Amino acid sequence: MEEMIRARLGELRSVTPSGARNLFNDFETVCRKYYERGETFKQALYDAYIGQMFDVFMTDFRCRDQEWLPSLSGSVPEYYDDIEAVFKGRDGSLYPFNGMLRINLQTFRNAYQMQGGGSTGVTGTWENRYLETWTDEINRAKRNEEGWLRAIKYYALRRYRPWSAPLTDTDLGWRRQVWGNNTRPLKYSLFESRNWRWVFEAFEMGTSMPAFLEELEDEDNDRA
């Protein structure tokens, strides 16, 4: 979980009535699960990352008989060039935590209401309309984000399918690829330029960056 979200939850908890703590605990769980989505989600992220790397790799492919390669089609998915925007939008407006980050603490405190109970001695139920709204926004964001990730993955992995046969079965003459066998710098460039670093850190994908990128940084430090 991002530190600013963790800190804000602490502030909101501090103004929550003691009787409504269970309600707030449920919301904290929703926030935590946004970041802790399990191995299936992390695999989808990694697949999209590797797919993008392959797309960039093939974009620079050249050969003598380029005309033998069919035209490529397919619409580039939204946010393809900025993965952080999948989760926040171009201007940050899609970030599902915007409401809780911006709300005045007293406004949030005043939104707690006890429903039911009364003279019968039966304890009522605490409600807070902001918690309900934010929970819906977080869950909706998760569904949308996973859809965008699938679109990125399938676009990247399917785009060059029409080239498969000519690349393997046809003599295209000389072939040239800018990155050649030197793909590690390509991966590192992609990691930084398309904001994958934020994704790896925010969703705690084992380390702050893939092991091969850490190795590259170590090599750079050794040469410095």
Side-chain angles (χ1 to χ4, degrees):
M1 181 184 295
E2 293 181 275
E3 185 55 40
M4 66 176 178
I5 302 300
R6 196 185 311 276
R8 187 55 167 169
L9 286 171
E11 294 173 346
L12 296 175
R13 173 179 282 277
S14 71
V15 298
T16 294
S18 58
R21 288 293 171 83
N22 287 339
L23 177 64
F24 190 79
N25 287 344
D26 290 342
F27 176 67
E28 278 191 315
T29 298
V30 170
C31 294
R32 187 178 67 253
K33 288 184 175 180
Y34 175 85
Y35 291 100
E36 300 173 359
R37 299 199 214 177
E39 293 306 313
T40 299
F41 176 74
K42 291 181 178 180
Q43 186 64 51
L45 284 175
Y46 189 72
D47 288 346
Y49 173 62
I50 295 301
Q52 279 200 342
M53 188 275 292
F54 180 72
D55 182 31
V56 175
F57 181 86
M58 291 301 295
T59 296
D60 293 320
F61 178 84
R62 297 291 182 271
C63 63
R64 185 193 64 198
D65 299 324
Q66 195 86 15
E67 68 276 8
W68 285 95
L69 295 175
S71 299
L72 301 174
S73 59
S75 300
V76 178
E78 193 170 11
Y79 311 133
Y80 191 69
D81 61 337
D82 183 356
I83 299 303
E84 186 175 353
V86 166
F87 303 90
K88 296 183 177 182
R90 297 290 186 190
D91 58 358
S93 61
L94 295 183
Y95 197 42
F97 298 100
N98 283 336
M100 62 173 279
L101 289 171
R102 295 172 180 170
I103 195 170
N104 175 273
L105 290 178
Q106 190 58 49
T107 300
F108 176 72
R109 170 64 181 85
N110 293 340
Y112 278 105
Q113 301 291 330
M114 174 73 77
Q115 302 296 330
S119 59
T120 61
V122 177
T123 302
T125 302
W126 283 98
E127 295 181 358
N128 186 314
R129 60 188 176 89
Y130 290 113
L131 294 181
E132 295 176 7
T133 297
W134 297 339
T135 295
D136 290 342
E137 290 175 351
I138 291 171
N139 289 331
R140 182 168 57 252
K142 289 169 67 175
R143 293 191 296 270
N144 291 339
E145 292 158 6
E146 290 166 7
W148 280 320
L149 285 175
R150 286 194 297 271
I152 289 171
K153 169 187 173 181
Y154 290 126
Y155 168 80
L157 296 180
R158 293 173 178 171
R159 185 182 182 201
Y160 292 93
R161 190 173 294 173
W163 284 14
S164 177
L167 285 175
T168 57
D169 300 335
T170 306
D171 180 5
L172 299 173
W174 57 260
R175 303 184 184 199
R176 184 178 301 127
Q177 213 294 322
V178 171
W179 295 99
N181 293 321
N182 196 24
T183 57
R184 294 193 346 161
L186 167 60
K187 293 176 183 178
Y188 187 83
S189 173
L190 192 69
F191 191 75
E192 296 292 348
S193 66
R194 300 196 182 183
N195 288 324
W196 278 100
R197 179 184 291 274
W198 176 85
V199 176
F200 271 69
E201 292 178 350
F203 292 95
E204 301 174 359
M205 295 182 66
T207 60
S208 60
M209 66 176 71
F212 62 80
L213 297 176
E214 291 182 341
E215 292 173 7
L216 281 176
E217 286 204 336
D218 289 342
E219 291 175 5
D220 291 340
N221 292 334
D222 291 340
R223 287 192 293 267

